[in-house]
Amino acid sequence: DVIAVAGGASGLVGIGANVVVNRVTGNTRAYISDSQINESSNRGKAVKVKAHSDTDISSKGGAVGIGIGGAGVAAAVDTNFIDNTTKAYIWDDRGTDLDAVYAGGGVEVSAFSREHVLSATIGIGAGLYAGVAGAAAVVKSDSITDAYIQDAKVDTTGSAGDILVDANSSVDVQFIAGAVAGGAVGAGGSVGVGLFSGETKAYAVGSDLDAT
């Protein structure tokens, strides 16, 4: 949790300003890379490759500006940037040899990403003649969530097991932004902005998949 508060008071002009910046960058990977798992004559149990990431941000900011005999100005800004990479994969370098993944059960390759953000800001400006207040909350997520099988051989023959490739991501954002202004002239404004340009993919390419 992040909590930040700023205040300013004066006999004439009071100014309060508060800026909070949260940046989260993570790299979560689960993989089988250029490796053989089990054998065709001894397939073992199920094979699971799972990468899970969870980001939880609770950020609160406030600013108060009080000008007892003049003007009060307050501004509060909360910004949150999330850039996570979550990948689960099976990959083989066929240029050297073919390393197969054999399973006596199913094969699961899954990447899950969860992002939860609470962004709360409030600005309070008060003065005898004028009060000005503003509050802004911004959340930007550019996270990547990928699950894939590439250039690999995956074989669950005879096990009645499936080959599952699954990528799942979600972003949950709650904005609370408020501005209060008081005086002979009062002006207040608040805004919440969400920018989401993430990528979620599940695929198999250049691979031999046998689940018969």
Side-chain angles (χ1 to χ4, degrees):
D1 291 353
V2 177
I3 301 175
V5 178
S10 174
L12 292 177
V13 178
I15 299 175
N18 182 23
V19 177
V20 177
V21 178
N22 298 306
R23 181 179 297 275
V24 177
T25 302
N27 193 337
T28 304
R29 298 173 187 262
Y31 57 89
I32 297 173
S33 177
D34 201 22
S35 300
Q36 178 166 321
I37 304 299
N38 300 320
E39 299 176 352
S40 59
S41 59
N42 184 11
R43 296 172 176 266
K45 302 292 185 179
V47 175
K48 297 184 179 183
V49 184
K50 305 170 72 172
H52 291 187
S53 67
D54 197 320
T55 300
D56 194 348
I57 298 174
S58 178
S59 184
K60 307 174 183 68
V64 179
I66 299 176
I68 298 173
V73 179
V77 179
D78 181 70
T79 55
N80 300 275
F81 302 98
I82 305 174
D83 186 9
N84 289 327
T85 298
T86 306
K87 291 187 176 184
Y89 57 90
I90 297 175
W91 173 84
D92 185 48
D93 181 6
R94 292 196 172 198
T96 55
D97 57 0
L98 178 60
D99 296 309
V101 175
Y102 297 100
V107 172
E108 176 185 349
V109 181
S110 61
F112 291 169
S113 174
R114 297 291 182 265
E115 297 173 357
H116 312 274
V117 181
L118 168 62
S119 179
T121 55
I122 185 168
I124 301 174
L128 179 63
Y129 296 109
V132 179
V138 179
V139 175
K140 188 174 189 297
S141 176
D142 298 314
S143 296
I144 295 174
T145 306
D146 287 348
Y148 59 90
I149 300 174
Q150 181 173 339
D151 298 332
K153 176 179 176 61
V154 179
D155 190 336
T156 63
T157 303
S159 67
D162 295 328
I163 298 174
L164 173 65
V165 183
D166 184 19
N168 187 295
S169 65
S170 70
V171 181
D172 179 25
V173 177
Q174 182 179 2
F175 289 113
I176 301 174
V180 179
V185 177
S190 62
V191 63
V193 178
L195 302 171
F196 309 103
S197 58
E199 176 183 277
T200 303
K201 296 187 299 183
Y203 60 91
V205 60
S207 298
D208 298 330
L209 307 180
D210 194 347
T212 57

